[in-house]
Amino acid sequence: MYQDFGLFIAGNWERGATNSTVISPVTETPLGDVATATAADTKRAIDAAASASAPLSEMGGFARADALHRIADEMTVRADQAARMISTETGKPLAQAGREWVLSVDQFRWYAEEARRIYGRVVESRVPGGRFEITKEAVGIVGAFTAWNFPASLPARKIAPALAAGCPVVLRPSSQTPGVAMVMIDCIRAGGLPDGAVNLVVGSTADTYGPIMADARVRKVSLTGSTRVGQRMIRDAAETVKKVSMELGGNAPCIIFEDADLDAALDACVPSKFGNAGQVCVTPDRFFVHDNLHDTFVAEFSKRAAALILGDGLDNKTEMGPLINAGRMTEVDAIVQDAIRAGAKLETGGKRATGFNSGHFYEPTVLSNVTDDMRVFAEENFGPIAAISRFYSDDDILARANASTMGLSAYAFTRSPERARLATAALKSGMVGINSFALAASEAPFGGTNYSGLGREGGSEGIEDYLDTKLSQIVF
């Protein structure tokens, strides 16, 4: 399934001298071999990006906008192919994969229009006859690093604004889901951009990450990944003073206030929690439910979770797919068992799913009687685990919800506009959803605070991290 792709350097697909095997999370068998980069290959990709910098910038915003629209057109034509690749590599249900690709197309559409609106400004100077001109310029070569859980939307969030700003890109996708990025890169060829405007390398940290971080020509790096990896990247970026954008881990609280519409909350919470088998950085991890609603919420949540259909994402009946690999399943189970030993009540799930001869399938799991000091609350669980705790009054719940080093997303359900405003103002998070989990959209800035990262992707804010500001003092 990877035979038409490989490394993408200077406008061409290359097979590479070495290969790695991609394993299906559904069957635990090989999907195929992909070309992997050597350190020399990565350097050639950076060289190609450097050669593309001037012609890409000189195209101007309107020409780059047209190119991004052509890319989006090609992505639309190849939507079915892309969705099947997403589902095959990650195991997520085909419907979820299709929505992810549509959101990725949206990024290119949105930033096509942002490319036309890279505004500067003029400020009158106190020097007689003078004025200040503030202009925006492309920051330069971008190193983009993406995770496996959203293998289309994460590269799109980085590539689209970079190209709109006039920055060439070297993309290093996850080696567990490289094919999705390859399909996207192949669509980018339809844009007619200069050779080297986008390059793709897959390989080991030493052969890909190392050369990108060490090369002073790379002026910005953008990561979607774990907080631990982000901390390392920030330290490494300091050596050559690169700009950084970091979309890191989350540990989202979800408050179900006393006046919440319980049916509406359940309708939103269950599919959000178990979408992509819980492997979503913005998914709700910590459910705080008011005492008056708690027992009904737990019972109905557990009933709906237990009824979810597990299976291969390519099967249209599937509602939840597998975890990405055996290591993730081991970690998820360790978190669940730790909570049970600490006194949490297992309502449903809590083990590897039966009935599967292969695949990393873990049962949708609901835990109640969870306390704030349990690992399942204190850490991002990144799996199909809904951890539920009871609260009695509004006085302390916001403080409990904020008791995390993370600050990516937070949610609350209430019928009260006053409560909604109070929660929105008080929750320490880069993004807050009230009666909704729909935070990821091309027109809206996506990102977190504290240990959840730096910078924003999406919206008019998303292009700013790919631009430098230049001040000119002009006197006549």
Side-chain angles (χ1 to χ4, degrees):
M1 61 188 289
Y2 304 109
Q3 61 271 15
D4 295 330
F5 305 121
L7 311 176
F8 192 76
I9 300 174
N12 296 298
W13 288 112
E14 301 182 5
R15 291 308 308 158
T18 59
N19 294 282
S20 63
T21 301
V22 181
I23 302 297
S24 166
V26 174
T27 65
E28 301 181 62
T29 59
L31 293 173
D33 291 337
V34 296
T36 54
T38 64
D41 292 327
T42 302
K43 182 181 182 302
R44 287 193 300 111
I46 299 170
D47 292 342
S51 297
S53 288
L56 183 62
S57 179
E58 290 166 2
M59 284 179 68
F62 280 73
R64 292 197 299 271
D66 292 341
L68 265 65
H69 276 304
R70 289 192 293 270
I71 293 167
D73 290 342
E74 181 66 15
M75 289 176 67
T76 300
V77 169
R78 297 173 66 173
D80 289 344
Q81 176 195 9
R84 292 189 69 83
M85 180 70 84
I86 294 169
S87 184
T88 299
E89 289 193 324
T90 66
K92 69 175 64 174
L94 197 56
Q96 294 177 28
R99 287 195 296 273
E100 180 182 347
W101 190 255
V102 168
L103 290 173
S104 303
V105 175
D106 282 350
Q107 293 289 334
F108 284 89
R109 296 283 188 211
W110 176 265
Y111 283 107
E113 297 308 311
E114 287 298 302
R116 308 180 201 269
R117 297 176 177 86
I118 301 175
Y119 297 134
R121 58 194 175 100
V122 175
V123 178
E124 185 175 348
S125 169
R126 68 185 66 192
V127 176
R131 67 181 185 184
F132 290 114
E133 289 189 0
I134 298 98
T135 55
K136 303 284 188 177
E137 297 181 346
V139 69
I141 298 172
V142 172
F145 299 84
T146 57
W148 47 262
N149 57 332
F150 286 93
S153 62
L154 299 182
R157 283 182 189 168
K158 303 175 191 308
I159 295 171
L163 294 179
C167 300
V169 180
V170 179
L171 172 67
R172 197 277 197 185
S174 167
S175 58
Q176 295 180 91
T177 55
V180 182
M182 292 172 182
V183 173
M184 184 177 295
I185 295 296
D186 211 43
C187 292
I188 289 172
R189 299 172 74 183
L193 295 166
D195 289 346
V198 178
N199 306 271
L200 179 145
V201 292
V202 178
S204 68
T205 298
D207 288 330
T208 57
Y209 174 91
I212 291 171
M213 297 306 297
D215 199 312
R217 295 174 297 173
V218 178
R219 298 313 309 143
K220 172 182 168 60
V221 289
S222 178
L223 167 72
T224 300
S226 70
T227 297
R228 176 185 56 81
V229 173
Q231 289 169 323
R232 173 184 174 180
M233 187 173 286
I234 292 168
R235 290 191 294 268
D236 291 343
E239 290 294 325
T240 50
V241 197
K242 302 183 197 303
K243 293 181 74 170
V244 296
S245 295
M246 300 280 131
E247 198 264 283
L248 307 177
N251 187 16
C254 181
I255 303 170
I256 311 297
F257 283 106
E258 182 178 14
D259 66 340
D261 181 331
L262 190 58
D263 287 335
L266 287 162
D267 288 345
C269 288
V270 174
S272 180
K273 174 66 256 186
F274 298 112
N276 201 20
Q279 300 167 119
V280 183
C281 55
V282 294
T283 194
D285 276 351
R286 299 175 291 144
F287 289 89
F288 299 95
V289 184
H290 190 275
D291 179 59
N292 290 346
L293 302 179
H294 177 273
D295 292 352
T296 303
F297 182 89
V298 169
E300 184 61 24
F301 199 110
S302 302
K303 177 182 176 182
R304 296 186 187 198
L308 291 171
I309 299 171
L310 275 62
D312 187 339
L314 294 174
D315 184 337
N316 287 327
K317 297 190 298 293
T318 295
E319 296 174 303
M320 193 182 94
L323 296 167
I324 190 64
N325 54 38
R328 184 94 291 274
M329 188 156 65
T330 298
E331 184 68 13
V332 165
D333 190 60
I335 293 170
V336 171
Q337 302 313 318
D338 177 81
I340 294 170
R341 286 192 297 272
K345 180 183 178 183
L346 178 65
E347 300 286 348
T348 190
K351 64 182 185 300
R352 179 173 183 148
T354 58
F356 294 91
N357 295 324
S358 62
H360 310 300
F361 293 95
Y362 198 86
E363 293 179 339
T365 299
V366 180
L367 297 166
S368 65
N369 197 36
V370 175
T371 57
D372 296 3
D373 58 346
M374 291 180 185
R375 181 184 175 192
V376 71
F377 252 32
E379 299 177 9
E380 178 181 33
N381 65 60
F382 217 63
I385 310 169
I388 304 173
S389 182
R390 190 188 305 261
F391 76 95
Y392 297 92
S393 73
D394 293 3
D395 293 341
D396 67 341
I397 190 55
L398 292 170
R400 289 180 66 195
N402 285 333
S404 172
T405 59
M406 302 297 186
L408 184 58
S409 59
Y411 308 96
F413 285 79
T414 177
R415 288 185 173 100
S416 164
E418 182 181 359
R419 270 196 176 116
R421 290 298 175 191
L422 176 64
T424 300
L427 287 167
K428 295 178 180 178
S429 179
M431 301 176 289
V432 177
I434 303 295
N435 301 323
S436 173
F437 294 103
L439 297 178
S442 60
E443 65 272 21
F446 187 99
T449 59
N450 298 332
Y451 281 55
S452 289
L454 308 164
R456 292 295 181 269
E457 294 181 328
S460 57
E461 294 84 355
I463 201 169
E464 290 298 323
D465 281 337
Y466 297 89
L467 296 167
D468 282 333
T469 300
K470 176 182 282 185
L471 172 67
S472 302
Q473 165 76 291
I474 300 175
V475 180
F476 292 102

